[in-house]
Amino acid sequence: MGDMDNIKIVPYEPCFQPAFKALNEEWITHYGWPVEDADKKIWNNPQENVLDKGGYIFIALHENNPVGTLVMCPLKQNNKEYEMMKFAVSPKVQGKGIGTAIIEAAIFKAHELNVRRLYLESNTRCESAIHLYRKFGFCEVKKQYSKFARCNIQMELLLK
């Protein structure tokens, strides 16, 4: 199996907060986008803004170092629809299957929770992420309001 032996997906713990913030900040600034208030709100207090709202944060560890993140949060009060966000993999380890592993973990959790629909927002400049989403069956949906200025594509995966 090679490098996948060195990859683990684990639940978020407070000790991962600096890496959670840094990994997400890294990809946003890589594209030259400004960090938005909605980003900071999640990074600075993931307990209150994700976990306490019934959400999950997946951390990808490579050789025990946090190298990837993904958040899955209920949309509004409807726990049968979740939004995936804050998907990031360190450029140092991209191409090792970490993005695939972290999305698989989220989809597995969604099935466990009987989630009906996973929704996400992205930007078409994030080509490798969009490719990965399509590989898992996410389809583009008509764009609605987004709290992120950088969002220019919205996708969903219907699980039921």
Side-chain angles (χ1 to χ4, degrees), residues 10-29:
V10 299
Y12 175 86
E13 293 175 33
C15 64
F16 295 130
Q17 195 271 335
F20 176 60
K21 179 179 190 267
L23 286 161
N24 278 285
E25 204 164 23
E26 184 175 33
W27 77 260
I28 292 168
T29 56

Side-chain angles (χ1 to χ4, degrees), residues 58 70 72 84 101-111 118:
F58 303 89
L70 190 143
M72 195 172 86
M84 283 183 13
I102 206 164
I103 292 174
E104 279 175 352
I107 291 173
F108 182 83
K109 185 63 171 177
H111 281 295
L118 285 173

Side-chain angles (χ1 to χ4, degrees), residues 60-126:
L61 299 177
H62 178 259
E63 296 172 352
N64 290 320
N65 296 311
V67 295
T69 73
L70 190 143
V71 168
M72 195 172 86
C73 226
L75 280 169
K76 302 183 183 116
Q77 295 308 306
N78 178 357
N79 64 1
K80 296 301 172 204
E81 296 190 15
Y82 277 70
E83 180 176 2
M84 283 183 13
M85 62 179 113
K86 303 291 162 258
F87 174 52
V89 176
S90 168
K92 298 175 197 82
V93 294
Q94 285 177 3
K96 297 182 182 292
I98 293 167
T100 298
I102 206 164
I103 292 174
E104 279 175 352
I107 291 173
F108 182 83
K109 185 63 171 177
H111 281 295
E112 256 184 15
L113 298 168
N114 289 316
V115 170
R116 184 177 71 75
R117 172 180 175 254
L118 285 173
Y119 165 84
L120 63 86
E121 298 182 343
S122 189
N123 185 291
T124 49
R125 287 173 59 198
C126 302

